[in-house]
Amino acid sequence: MKQKYVVLLDNENGKLSIQEYAELDKEMLSLLCEEAYDAKMIKVAMQKDRNSLIQALRTHNMYPPGAYTERIADAIIEMFQPGANTSAELFFEERDLFESPDEEMDLEDKEEGDDDGEGDSTMDVDDLLDDDTEDDYEEKGIIKDLQKTIKVSDADTGSDEA
């Protein structure tokens, strides 16, 4: 699911607002929630530390995942700098939350290995299919020995003598 957060700083009224949008229909973002904050309260939280800012942003109605909140906090810190923009749009893809950095590295390694043919530890399907298997057994006489030891039951011969 795609999500977007719009952060707006209204210096005239001393308000900060965050709007949360989500892709409920394909290619169409819908407003889920809007939360307004007192800009002075946000400044005080920013001056304490980053975690205080994050806690001030999270409410009962708006509680974005940690990775999202980190980026939202970065945008807000930037907005309070002199001469900075007073709005920001942040886009997120939900599946990015579930990919670990290790998985991303593995995927990159596999893609690089496929391009140049090196570093790929997987075998080709043709290598797995070995046509010489029967020849090995015939050379050792295993198949002939099996044919001598297997006896077919009279009931299994298909004859109607019963």
Side-chain angles (χ1 to χ4, degrees), residues 8 19 37 40 53 57 77-78 93 104 123 126 162:
L8 303 167
Q19 300 170 340
Y37 306 88
K40 290 179 187 175
L53 173 60
L57 296 174
I77 291 169
E78 181 69 30
E93 183 74 42
E104 291 174 15
M123 293 182 70
D126 292 334

Side-chain angles (χ1 to χ4, degrees), residues 18-104:
I18 301 176
Q19 300 170 340
E20 179 182 15
Y21 294 85
E23 183 182 50
L24 302 178
D25 292 324
K26 190 158 183 78
E27 302 296 324
M28 191 168 138
L29 293 171
S30 301
L31 179 65
L32 298 180
C33 178
E34 181 174 4
E35 200 68 43
Y37 306 88
D38 181 34
K40 290 179 187 175
M41 180 192 76
I42 296 298
K43 280 184 183 180
V44 169
M46 277 184 355
Q47 290 171 352
K48 287 183 184 177
D49 62 4
R50 185 180 182 81
N51 287 333
S52 296
L53 173 60
I54 290 172
Q55 291 305 316
L57 296 174
R58 288 185 160 164
T59 67
H60 179 69
N61 294 324
M62 184 172 297
Y63 200 91
Y68 295 2
T69 309
E70 294 281 335
R71 286 191 44 205
I72 293 169
D74 290 340
I76 290 172
I77 291 169
E78 181 69 30
M79 285 179 168
F80 278 95
Q81 301 302 317
N85 287 334
T86 57
S87 66
E89 287 187 352
L90 304 162
F91 293 91
F92 301 97
E93 183 74 42
E94 189 175 67
R95 66 180 167 182
D96 295 339
L97 282 176
F98 300 108
E99 291 180 0
S100 71
D102 294 337
E103 289 175 352
E104 291 174 15

Side-chain angles (χ1 to χ4, degrees), residues 7-11 14-17 39 79-80 85-87:
V7 184
L8 303 167
L9 177 61
D10 183 1
N11 286 319
K15 296 286 180 189
L16 175 80
S17 66
M79 285 179 168
F80 278 95
N85 287 334
T86 57
S87 66

Side-chain angles (χ1 to χ4, degrees), residues 132-146:
D132 299 332
T133 311
E134 275 187 38
D135 295 339
D136 292 341
Y137 289 111
E138 286 179 6
E139 287 176 9
K140 295 177 183 174
I142 296 174
I143 293 178
K144 292 179 184 176
D145 291 341
L146 282 175

